[in-house]
Amino acid sequence: MDEKEKHDISPEEIKRQTRFMKVMKSWNDEYFAKTGRRRKHLTVTYGCQMNEHDSEVLSGILENMGYIAADDKKEADLIIYNTCCVRENAELKVYGNLGALKGLKRKKNDLIIVVCGCMMQQPHVVEKIKNKYRHVDLIFGTHNLFKFPELLMKSMKSKDMFIEVWENEGNIIEGLPANRRYKSKAFINIMYGCNNFCTYCIVPYTRGRERSREVEDIIKEAAGLAAGGTKEIMLLGQNVNSYGKTLNGSIGFADLLRELNKVPGIERIRFMTSHPKDLSDDLIDAMAECDKVCEHLHLPFQSGSNRILKAMNRKYTKERYLSLIEKLKNRIPDIRLTTDIIVGFPGETEEDFQHTLDIVEKVGYDSAFTFLYSVRQGTPAAKMEGRVDKETKRDRFNRLLEKINKISAEINQNYLNRTVEVLVEGPSKTNPNRYMGRTRGNKLVNFDGSENLVGELVQVQIIEAKTFFLNGKIIE
Ligand code: SAH
Ligand code: SF4
Ligand code: F3S
C-alpha cells in the first residue's frame, strides 16, 4: 500500500459528518417551510448486497438531511447512482442511465447528480465521466462513502464537477445511519474488502484489502435490529469465512455465528459469500449446531476444471469442493445449496466445461448465478491468452442454464404438500395481489397474505412447484 495514501480516520469523524448533515437538514427544512414540499432523492443501486447496503447508508444519510424518497427521476431533486463494475454490462447500464439524464438536467438546473460505488475506483471511468458526462455534480468512491454529507455540501458550493476518490481504504467507521429497505430482514456488514485476487475479479481493486469489524460492534448492531423487530440478519462480506483474520486471530467466523446465535429476537441468520478454500470443519459444525443459522449455503465454485481453477487463483480443486459438499450434506441433511459459475474463462475448453456440468449434476443446486466471463481491465485474466469466442461461450452458457433449471425444477417438486416456515417479505414482485417470503433454505414462496403479516414467520403449505419459486397457502 502506498504510505501517502493510507487513511487513518479518527473515530471523531462521525461527529464531523453529523454536523454537515445538520446544516443540510436546516437548508431542507427551510425549503419545506417555504414551499410545503420536501426535497426528494432517488438512489439507484447496481451490483451486490454490499452495494445495496451502502445504498441503505446513503439514503439513511439523505433522510437524516431531510430528503424523502422519490418514486422516479422526474420528481427527484437529487439522483445517486451507486455503481458496480464486476462485469461489463453493469458498467454499460450506468453509462446509459447517465446519458439519459442530460436532458433532465438541462430542464432542471438545480438537479444534483451523484455517481459513486465500485466503478469510481477505476481512474479510467472517472476520466470518461469527466469528459463525456459533464452534467454529473459529484463523484466519490467506496472508501470515502462515510464523507458523503461533507462531499455533497462541497459539491453544491463548487461550480465544477466535484471529485474525491481515495485509492486505498481507511479504517472502519462505525455509527452511520442506515435506512433499511426491508422490515423483515437486514444486512449487516461483518467485513470489508477482499484479499483473494481471483484473476478475473475487479472487487479487490475497488473494495481494498480485507478488514473485519469488531465482534462487539456486530453484536450491538444485531441486537439493535432485533429490538426494532428484525427477525433475519444477513451477514455480508466478500469472503465471510475469513472473518476475524485482521482481529489478531482471536475470533473466527464460526465463533461469530455462535455469538450471534445468542442474540434474543433474531430468528434467522444467513451469510454470504463463502469461499470454498476457507470453509472449515469448525464452520460446518457451527452451522449444524446453531439453531438460528439457516440451512442454506451459497458456495460459488466458478469452474469445475482444476486447470481453470488454478488459472483463476481459486486455491481449491474440483475434488476438494465436492468433498466439502459431501461433508455439508452429511452434517446438515436438509441443506440447500446455491452457487456462482463463470463460463468462458480464457483457455476454457469443452473438456473443462464438462467438469463444470459435472459439478452441477453431482451437487444438485437449488439455483445458480451463471455469468459469461467478462474482461476487466487491470485484472490478471485480462492479459491471458485463449479468449473463448462469443458463440462458444453462449452455447456453453445455454447448456449450463438448461441443466441448472432442470435440476431446480426437480428439487422444487419435492416440496409439494410439505409445510414450510416462511418469513414474509412483502407483496410479490410478479403478482401484486399475492405476498412472498422465503423458507430457511432460501426458497421463494408466493401465497395470499396481507400487509400485517410482513416481517412475521408463517407456516405455508406448498401446493404448486415451479422452476424458480413455489406457490402455497398459509396454514392457520
Ligand atoms: N466475493 C464473492 C462475490 C464476488 S462477485 C465470491 O467470491 O463469491 C460475484 C460473482 O461475479 C462471482 O462469484 C463471479 O462468479 C462473478 N464474476 C466476478 N468477476 C467476473 C468477471 N470478470 N466475469 C464474469 N463473472 C464474474
Ligand atoms: Fe472477487 Fe474472488 Fe474476492 Fe470474490 S473472493 S470478491 S470472486 S477476488
Ligand atoms: Fe459490483 Fe462492487 Fe459488488 S464491483 S459486485 S458492487 S463489490
Side-chain angles (χ1 to χ4, degrees):
M1 190 189 287
D2 179 355
E3 282 302 314
K4 276 187 300 195
E5 271 280 346
K6 245 186 193 167
H7 297 284
D8 192 11
I9 311 161
S10 142
E12 296 297 301
E13 180 64 27
I14 195 79
K15 286 191 191 146
R16 236 171 66 87
Q17 296 305 324
T18 306
R19 285 200 290 275
F20 287 111
M21 280 191 250
K22 279 194 181 138
V23 177
M24 287 292 293
K25 173 92 168 69
S26 20
W27 178 68
N28 275 323
D29 284 350
E30 234 170 72
Y31 173 80
F32 178 62
K34 250 193 270 170
T35 62
R37 173 186 179 271
R38 284 256 168 231
R39 285 203 178 92
K40 293 187 176 182
H41 75 93
L42 184 71
T43 305
V44 185
T45 315
Y46 300 93
C48 62
Q49 274 110 339
M50 208 69 77
N51 248 23
E52 263 191 61
H53 184 49
D54 280 352
S55 287
E56 289 183 339
V57 171
L58 289 170
S59 60
I61 291 175
L62 284 165
E63 282 166 34
N64 255 269
M65 290 174 173
Y67 284 91
I68 58 170
D71 289 329
D72 63 41
K73 55 186 179 187
K74 278 196 207 100
E75 60 167 34
D77 300 275
L78 186 149
I79 300 177
I80 305 189
Y81 286 119
N82 189 9
T83 64
C84 168
C85 52
V86 78
R87 284 170 294 276
E88 191 186 12
N89 51 7
E91 291 195 339
L92 294 178
K93 271 188 220 155
V94 171
Y95 289 130
N97 278 317
L98 281 181
L101 283 186
K102 247 180 216 169
L104 196 62
K105 177 86 178 183
R106 221 176 288 133
K107 271 190 249 157
K108 198 171 168 182
N109 201 26
D110 54 357
L111 171 68
I112 300 171
I113 302 175
V114 183
V115 204
C116 62
C118 287
M119 263 172 91
M120 301 308 116
Q121 292 299 137
Q122 306 176 96
H124 71 271
V125 171
V126 174
E127 217 33 52
K128 181 165 172 176
I129 295 182
K130 250 163 60 181
N131 295 329
K132 287 201 173 162
Y133 302 91
R134 291 204 211 134
H135 53 298
V136 169
D137 297 286
L138 169 61
I139 290 180
F140 59 91
T142 56
H143 301 315
N144 59 346
L145 180 137
F146 70 94
K147 279 185 77 179
F148 177 49
E150 178 180 352
L151 298 174
L152 182 60
M153 277 198 64
K154 282 186 172 161
S155 82
M156 287 168 71
K157 285 186 184 145
S158 154
K159 267 203 214 123
D160 302 319
M161 186 186 299
F162 192 85
I163 303 172
E164 188 180 304
V165 179
W166 292 3
E167 197 180 323
N168 292 314
E169 68 281 2
N171 38 310
I172 296 171
I173 291 288
E174 293 290 340
L176 288 166
N179 174 24
R180 311 271 176 182
R181 197 170 137 201
Y182 301 98
K183 191 174 158 202
S184 54
K185 55 177 187 180
F187 297 129
I188 300 184
N189 253 321
I190 61 164
M191 59 202 299
Y192 299 87
C194 181
N195 283 356
N196 289 317
F197 291 95
C198 302
T199 55
Y200 50 80
C201 184
I202 195 81
V203 172
Y205 308 89
T206 67
R207 292 275 172 176
R209 296 293 62 75
E210 184 180 295
R211 51 227 186 267
S212 297
R213 275 177 82 193
E214 297 288 342
V215 186
E216 297 73 37
D217 291 328
I218 298 170
I219 305 274
K220 206 167 105 191
E221 186 172 349
L225 285 162
T230 299
K231 293 211 169 62
E232 180 176 306
I233 52 173
M234 163 72 103
L235 311 175
L236 296 181
Q238 294 299 348
N239 176 13
V240 289
N241 301 3
S242 66
Y243 171 79
K245 281 196 181 147
T246 55
L247 302 172
N248 311 323
S250 53
I251 184 164
F253 185 54
D255 301 320
L256 177 69
L257 286 182
R258 292 185 179 106
E259 287 305 313
L260 285 167
N261 201 55
K262 296 181 203 152
V263 175
I266 296 295
E267 309 261 1
R268 288 176 169 192
I269 302 172
R270 299 186 191 282
F271 52 86
M272 78 186 298
T273 304
S274 294
H275 194 307
K277 82 173 163 64
D278 297 315
L279 186 75
S280 64
D281 288 352
D282 189 28
L283 175 57
I284 299 177
D285 284 342
M287 287 178 72
E289 280 161 32
C290 297
D291 57 329
K292 295 175 180 177
V293 174
C294 290
E295 296 77 22
H296 169 228
L297 186 66
H298 184 68
L299 196 61
F301 73 87
Q302 314 297 1
S303 167
S305 151
N306 288 340
R307 205 173 58 80
I308 298 293
L309 284 170
K310 196 156 196 295
M312 287 176 161
N313 190 31
R314 290 289 290 180
K315 300 197 174 82
Y316 54 85
T317 58
K318 176 185 180 188
E319 293 71 28
R320 158 108 178 111
Y321 183 87
L322 287 172
S323 82
L324 281 173
I325 297 287
E326 204 177 298
K327 258 191 223 167
L328 281 159
K329 285 183 176 173
N330 285 336
R331 194 78 174 83
I332 311 162
D334 200 24
I335 192 149
R336 310 316 320 159
L337 295 158
T338 54
T339 196
D340 290 351
I341 307 166
I342 298 177
V343 171
F345 184 82
E348 185 190 76
T349 62
E350 178 59 29
E351 196 190 333
D352 293 319
F353 177 64
Q354 285 301 327
H355 283 292
T356 294
L357 289 179
D358 190 44
I359 292 199
V360 168
E361 185 100 2
K362 288 205 166 98
V363 176
Y365 295 101
D366 281 43
S367 68
F369 294 108
T370 49
F371 306 107
L372 290 166
Y373 168 70
S374 170
V375 182
R376 302 290 65 210
Q377 199 178 314
T379 62
K383 293 189 215 92
M384 287 182 190
E385 286 176 6
R387 294 256 173 106
V388 180
D389 65 83
K390 249 192 191 158
E391 269 116 72
T392 310
K393 251 200 253 185
R394 262 279 149 217
D395 171 61
R396 286 181 193 160
F397 187 85
N398 293 341
R399 281 151 61 205
L400 177 64
L401 212 57
E402 204 178 300
K403 189 176 265 306
I404 290 167
N405 291 348
K406 187 169 160 273
I407 295 172
S408 302
E410 279 166 15
I411 292 177
N412 282 356
Q413 286 302 319
N414 298 331
Y415 281 82
L416 277 179
N417 299 321
R418 268 176 64 182
T419 299
V420 288
E421 180 201 86
V422 171
L423 179 62
V424 185
E425 283 186 17
S428 150
K429 284 177 190 104
T430 43
N431 180 352
N433 297 322
R434 306 257 289 166
Y435 276 74
M436 57 78 72
R438 285 183 188 268
T439 65
R440 285 175 60 99
N442 213 32
K443 288 255 165 242
L444 185 66
V445 184
N446 289 328
F447 44 87
D448 286 335
S450 52
E451 197 53 36
N452 63 326
L453 290 178
V454 174
E456 297 297 323
L457 289 164
V458 294
Q459 296 294 320
V460 178
Q461 190 188 3
I462 304 303
I463 47 184
E464 192 183 18
K466 301 276 197 186
T467 305
F468 302 113
F469 60 91
L470 303 166
N471 282 322
K473 60 171 192 270
I474 294 184
I475 306 284
E476 297 307 327

